[in-house]
Amino acid sequence: MTQQITLKGNPVQVGGKLPAAGDQLADFSLTGSNLRDASLESFSGKRKIFNIFPSMDTPTCALSVKRFNAEVDALDNVALLQISADLPFAHARFCSAEGLENGTTLSMMRDKRFAEDYGVLVADGPMAGLCARAVIVADENDTVLHSELVAEIAEEPNYDDALAALKV
């Protein structure tokens, strides 16, 4: 299945199907900044925010990482998963430079299936192979409460809707 979004107004195809409210999250194996793999089970029993984006080295991605990092600071029992195709070294560098301590950065460097399984794989255009911008919120039992595939990659997600879903 493919969906269409835009990159600066130009059509881009995204492969896979974004999980919808009520769906169960698929397991994954992504690499943390410590170079250890993490799976869905690694965050068992916690509510989750998946902030998925192309690269921390772009302005909009950097804004979303910083914003979710700040918002999660006031929440209990929430795992913030900041996910992109960036290498763990880039994640660590960015977070260190910005003083970001909340959340877990995860890289697709060893498992590109995540992007397809979660419906965020940019299939064509200059960003092919990276993740589209999306937010998924899930409860402690890995049931999706909210999801958003941002229609224009260069725009920020709807933070208010994502955070409101955690408070239900």
Side-chain angles (χ1 to χ4, degrees):
M1 176 177 186
T2 61
Q3 302 173 79
Q4 184 173 300
I5 59 172
T6 59
L7 171 61
K8 297 184 179 178
N10 297 309
V12 174
Q13 300 303 311
V14 177
K17 180 182 176 291
L18 188 73
D23 289 349
Q24 284 297 123
L25 292 173
D27 199 10
F28 57 81
S29 180
L30 298 171
T31 307
S33 59
N34 59 4
L35 298 180
R36 292 193 180 117
D37 290 342
S39 67
L40 188 58
E41 186 178 325
S42 304
F43 307 97
S44 180
K46 293 188 175 208
R47 295 176 293 154
K48 298 155 200 71
I49 299 177
F50 289 71
N51 180 32
I52 305 166
F53 49 90
S55 173
M56 283 185 169
D57 289 324
T58 64
T60 306
C61 298
L63 287 171
S64 74
V65 169
K66 290 186 236 181
R67 172 78 183 266
F68 276 121
N69 189 79
E71 296 284 353
V72 164
D73 192 41
L75 301 174
D76 293 326
N77 198 38
V78 174
L80 170 61
L81 311 179
Q82 310 263 32
I83 302 169
S84 73
D86 292 312
L87 294 176
F89 313 109
H91 286 164
R93 173 192 44 79
F94 180 87
C95 291
S96 176
E98 296 294 331
L100 304 178
E101 298 179 359
N102 297 322
T104 301
T105 57
L106 297 169
S107 170
M108 298 186 332
M109 74 179 220
R110 293 187 187 132
D111 187 359
K112 305 293 187 210
R113 289 177 307 138
F114 170 83
E116 181 76 27
D117 291 349
Y118 276 71
V120 295
L121 179 64
V122 176
D124 61 8
M127 297 178 88
L130 299 179
C131 292
R133 185 174 319 287
V135 176
I136 300 168
V137 178
D139 67 12
E140 298 89 339
N141 300 311
D142 304 327
T143 301
V144 176
L145 303 172
H146 166 82
S147 64
E148 174 191 14
L149 178 63
V150 180
E152 166 58 52
I153 292 176
E155 293 181 3
E156 293 178 76
N158 186 325
Y159 301 107
D160 293 338
D161 284 356
L163 295 166
L166 283 172
K167 299 171 182 164
V168 173

